[in-house]
């Protein structure tokens, strides 16, 4: 189970996957502006987006602030979405590409591991020549399965290689004692993005499920099966996965730490699923001895018992074989790559063509050896001055948050005291780790791409399992330095900002404070607010899942949070698919609270100076424009549907309009009438 982190973007389904450098008058031009600007005024002008003067900002602020950008930046054919995140990710990818090409051209003992990995990935001819041969050893292990009693050891071997079958097993911070890491076992084993794709009704989802079965069949045919055999196997896979999905928790329920905190004696697993030899699995996985573990969803493992009991050995082998191909098809020959792209990118998200191989290989290297590669990014793109300015902004945001807590009219003095203690205890991690991860045991070869991926996965699996029973390491990062994202970890009570996001349009070195507080300031506030959202508020200052609220204050919080749930439930993603207000609640609270706190911090920085125009816009207006430009984007309809179903983050339009319409300071800044859409007035939702 992944650590319960809350980021500004979904890590499981990242949207910042740039594939082509296009005209970006906002982000691309601004990337050069800080170095070339002759004054703060000119840098600020370069940082501000062009606005659509045909749109009233009080009617649709997102369209007003982003309309020209949206028109000038169509979605590249190999993308499902194109926005400011993508533009910055593109810049970072170019930096990493240059570093990797230099490493490959000039190998030495320090960089050989990263260079070999990238070179093997880039050897498209060599990969194509091998076909499916690189995964044949894993397929042969499955073929040799004689009975279900051998299944635990086989599942352990597949998990070590990075193949998601049946369930997942690893380490997590103990919910009740954040000083320790414990074992955790979690739901898993699906080929579609999440359970909703298996259980949602309607013609659209019926069509997706049918297309998935056809995709599975075609993949089996690529492995050598006749069409009729492959069709039968695909139906078997769909039946098993549907049963697993029906037993899985929903996206919203998985966001509730109380529902995934089920610490039990390890022997209880044999009661939940007695047909699976758990002791054999743990031994084969190489896990250290442990007596207790978190069984995130006990009902899932009860269902797993029934599913395995009802499946023949051949059915299980079919399911396992599919997931091996599923895990590695993007790393095999072109027919496998094209087939996977056709379903997962084109069918599910509307992408027209695959991204260039070099970008896929940069991403693969980052996924496998993130901190090894991250060293080169930090040298090029992140300096001490950026870190110092970020720490100053964090300090100012914390001060503003402290004032906000004091001014809350719905929270008692007792709970405020605890809230202050938690806020004061939030730790800041900026840029990159103090100690780089040691990948020296990972062997990489220039002619073995799939083998490199397997060995890197095995290294990471072993690294995670070795944490079980040991003190929790709070210095570790969950994202690599080039990542265009940020996150809050409730079990560590810390905010984390990789170097990759500390660039334009999130941070402009020479622009005035209004722009930066609207952009990176709101990101900082967003991550801080995660400590006090529907999930984060359940953890104390030390990262323990412990209630520090009075019952009355908890009820008041829940009532105010319900306002946000109802507001976002009303937003339409596409057709009849709405946003999921409950599943996105934490992120929406963080957006609304972080935005408001950042504005407070800006005004404190300006020392209460009256709003005045600096050029065309007042400081407050520039703040809101700085915030909006971060979310300017184009997105394909299928991608909107997929995000609404699988992602805990709202669509970009609503991350802007949903937020500013709740902030009375926006209505003042743009003189919005009481009945304007961007002025919710008495209906405004406010928690923080």
């Amino acid at each position: 189970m992944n650590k319960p982190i809350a980021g500004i973007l979904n890590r499981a389904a990242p949207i910042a996957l740039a594939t082509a450098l296009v005209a970006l008058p906002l982000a691309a031009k601004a990337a050069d502006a800080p170095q070339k600007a002759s004054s703060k005024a000119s840098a600020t002008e370069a940082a501000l987006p062009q606005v659509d003067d045909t749109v009233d900002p009080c009617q649709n602020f997102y369209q007003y602030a982003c309309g020209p950008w949206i028109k000038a930046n169509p979605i590249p054919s190999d993308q499902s979405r194109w926005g400011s995140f993508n533009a910055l990710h593109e810049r970072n990818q170019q930096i990493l590409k240059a570093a990797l090409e230099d490493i490959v051209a000039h190998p030495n003992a320090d960089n050989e591991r990263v260079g070999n990995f990238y070179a093997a990935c880039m050897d498209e001819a060599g990969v194509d020549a091998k076909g499916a041969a690189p995964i044949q050893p894993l397929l042969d292990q499955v073929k040799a399965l004689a009975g279900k009693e051998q299944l635990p050891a086989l599942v352990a071997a597949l998990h070590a290689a990075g193949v998601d079958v049946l369930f997942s097993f690893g380490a997590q911070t103990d919910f009740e004692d954040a000083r320790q890491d414990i074992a955790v076992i979690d739901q898993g084993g699906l080929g579609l993005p999440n359970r909703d794709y298996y259980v949602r009704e309607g013609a659209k989802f019926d069509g997706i499920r049918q297309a998935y079965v056809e995709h599975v069949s075609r993949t089996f045919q690529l492995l050598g099966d006749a069409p009729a055999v492959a069709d039968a196997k695909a139906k078997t896979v769909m039946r098993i996965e549907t049963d697993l999905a029906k037993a899985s928790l929903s996206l919203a329920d998985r966001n509730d730490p109380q529902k995934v905190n089920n610490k039990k004696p390890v022997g209880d697993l044999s009661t939940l699923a007695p047909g699976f030899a758990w002791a054999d699995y743990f031994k084969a996985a190489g896990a250290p001895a442990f007596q207790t573990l978190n069984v995130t969803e006990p009902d899932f493992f009860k269902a797993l018992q029934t599913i395995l009991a009802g499946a023949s050995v051949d059915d299980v082998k079919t399911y396992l074989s599919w997931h091996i191909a599923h895990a590695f098809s993007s790393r095999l020959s072109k027919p496998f790559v094209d087939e996977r792209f056709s379903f997962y990118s084109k069918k599910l998200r509307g992408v027209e063509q695959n991204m260039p191989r070099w970008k896929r290989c940069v991403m693969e290297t980052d996924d496998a050896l993130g901190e090894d590669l991250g060293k080169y990014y930090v040298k090029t793109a992140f300096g001490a001055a950026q870190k110092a300015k970020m720490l100053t902004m964090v300090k100012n945001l914390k001060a503003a948050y402290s004032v906000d807590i004091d001014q809350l009219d719905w929270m008692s003095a007792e709970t405020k005291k605890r809230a202050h203690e938690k806020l004061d205890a939030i730790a800041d991690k900026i840029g990159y780790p103090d100690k780089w991860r040691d990948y020296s045991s990972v062997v990489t070869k220039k002619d073995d791409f799939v083998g490199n991926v397997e060995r890197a996965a095995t290294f990471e699996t072993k690294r995670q399992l070795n944490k079980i029973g040991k003190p929790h390491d709070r210095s570790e990062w969950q994202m690599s330095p080039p990542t265009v994202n940020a996150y809050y970890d409730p079990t560590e009570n810390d905010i984390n900002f990789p170097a990759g996001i500390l660039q334009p349009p999130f941070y402009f070195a020479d622009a005035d404070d209004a722009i930066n507080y609207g952009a990176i300031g709101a990101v900082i506030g967003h991550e801080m607010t995660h400590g006090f959202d529907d999930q984060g508020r359940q953890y104390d200052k030390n990262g323990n899942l412990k209630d520090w609220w009075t019952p009355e204050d908890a009820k008041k919080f829940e009532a105010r949070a319900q306002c946000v749930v109802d507001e976002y439930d009303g937003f339409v993603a596409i057709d009849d698919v709405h946003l999921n207000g409950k599943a996105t609640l934490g992120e929406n609270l963080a957006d609304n609270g972080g935005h408001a706190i950042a504005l407070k911090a800006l005004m404190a920085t300006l020392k209460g100076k009256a709003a005045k125009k600096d050029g065309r816009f007042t400081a407050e207006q520039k703040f809101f424009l700085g915030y909006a430009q971060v979310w300017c984007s184009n997105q394909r309809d299928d991608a909107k549907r997929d995000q609404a179903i699988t992602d805990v983050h709202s669509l970009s339009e609503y991350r802007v309009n949903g937020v500013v319409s709740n902030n009375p300071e926006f209505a003042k800044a743009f003189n919005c009438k009481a009945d304007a859409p961007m002025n919710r007035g008495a209906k405004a939702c406010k928690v923080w």
Side-chain angles (χ1 to χ4, degrees), residues 411-687:
M411 183 180 283
S412 69
E414 181 180 348
T415 305
K416 284 183 179 180
K417 181 175 182 291
R418 302 293 181 227
H420 277 298
E421 291 174 352
K422 182 168 186 179
L423 177 67
D424 292 343
I426 291 178
D428 319 317
K429 290 195 290 196
I430 310 294
Y432 54 90
D434 292 330
K435 181 181 179 181
W436 295 103
R437 189 165 299 160
D438 180 7
Y439 295 93
S440 60
S441 64
V442 180
V443 175
T444 61
K445 303 176 183 179
K446 287 185 177 181
D447 60 352
D448 189 13
F449 179 36
V450 168
N452 293 340
V453 172
E454 281 193 66
R455 287 185 288 274
T458 300
F459 163 82
E460 182 59 21
T461 299
K462 182 178 180 181
R463 192 179 74 84
Q464 292 294 334
L465 294 181
N466 284 341
K467 297 178 181 180
I468 295 173
K470 294 181 180 178
H472 179 65
D473 180 5
R474 295 193 172 216
S475 68
E476 184 177 335
W477 283 65
Q478 305 304 313
M479 294 177 179
S480 67
T483 303
V484 185
N485 210 335
Y487 70 94
Y488 170 81
D489 188 331
T491 63
E492 294 180 354
N493 193 27
D494 63 8
I495 51 179
N496 305 259
F497 302 96
I501 200 172
L502 304 180
Q503 318 285 338
F506 299 91
Y507 173 74
F508 299 88
D510 294 328
D512 71 19
D513 288 334
I515 300 297
N516 284 328
Y517 274 87
I520 196 63
V523 172
I524 296 169
H526 174 105
E527 301 308 338
M528 285 185 183
T529 304
H530 272 309
F532 305 93
D533 68 12
D534 59 315
Q535 301 164 63
R537 76 173 191 86
Q538 300 183 57
Y539 298 81
D540 67 13
K541 66 178 182 179
N542 297 315
N544 299 314
L545 191 60
K546 183 178 181 181
D547 191 2
W548 47 272
W549 293 66
T550 66
E552 295 79 10
D553 289 340
K555 290 179 181 178
K556 291 176 182 176
F557 174 92
E558 290 167 0
R560 287 172 174 265
Q562 187 61 44
C563 175
V564 179
V565 172
D566 295 340
E567 177 189 4
Y568 285 80
D569 270 343
F571 294 142
V572 177
I574 186 70
D575 300 330
D576 61 347
V577 178
H578 284 236
L579 299 191
N580 186 331
K582 184 178 179 183
T584 59
L585 177 58
E587 298 301 328
N588 297 332
L589 289 173
D591 280 346
N592 280 271
H595 173 268
I597 297 301
L599 181 57
K600 286 179 181 290
L602 170 65
M603 300 316 294
T605 300
L606 297 176
K607 295 180 171 58
K609 293 178 183 177
K612 65 178 182 179
K613 289 191 176 181
D614 177 9
R616 179 178 177 183
F617 301 107
T618 66
E620 289 92 335
Q621 290 173 333
K622 283 187 288 185
F623 170 86
F624 291 111
L625 288 168
Y627 174 76
Q629 71 171 327
V630 165
W631 300 110
C632 295
S633 66
N634 282 299
Q635 190 168 8
R636 300 187 192 278
D637 288 349
D638 286 332
K640 291 179 180 179
R641 180 181 294 103
D642 181 67
Q643 182 175 338
I645 295 170
T646 65
D647 201 332
V648 295
H649 301 82
S650 297
L651 300 183
S652 294
E653 176 182 357
Y654 304 123
R655 297 190 79 163
V656 175
N657 288 349
V659 167
V660 301
S661 63
N662 283 323
N663 193 334
E665 298 304 320
F666 174 83
K668 292 179 184 177
F670 286 93
N671 298 314
C672 298
K673 295 180 180 179
D675 61 348
M678 297 294 98
N679 183 6
R680 288 171 58 86
K683 295 181 180 179
C685 302
K686 184 183 187 307
V687 180

Side-chain angles (χ1 to χ4, degrees), residues 151-171:
L151 189 58
L154 176 57
V155 170
L158 295 179
H159 283 172
V163 182
D164 175 22
V165 291
L166 299 180
F167 58 88
S168 65
F169 173 64

Side-chain angles (χ1 to χ4, degrees), residues 43-118:
T44 297
E45 183 179 352
L48 281 170
Q50 295 179 355
V51 299
D52 186 348
D53 286 317
T54 68
V55 177
D56 181 348
C58 298
Q59 293 293 312
N60 187 333
F61 185 62
Y62 179 75
Q63 188 61 39
Y64 171 78
C66 294
W69 192 97
I70 291 172
K71 185 176 181 180
N73 293 275
I75 307 172
S77 60
D78 54 1
Q79 286 295 298
S80 63
R81 174 191 185 275
W82 187 256
S84 298
F85 277 87
N86 306 76
L88 177 51
H89 182 81
E90 167 73 16
R91 174 180 178 271
N92 290 348
Q93 292 288 88
Q94 294 282 357
I95 291 171
L96 294 175
K97 176 177 181 282
L100 285 164
E101 289 177 347
D102 182 67
I103 289 169
V104 171
H106 305 94
N108 58 53
D110 293 330
N111 63 30
E112 183 179 27
R113 181 170 49 250
V114 169
N116 285 348
F117 192 100
Y118 183 71

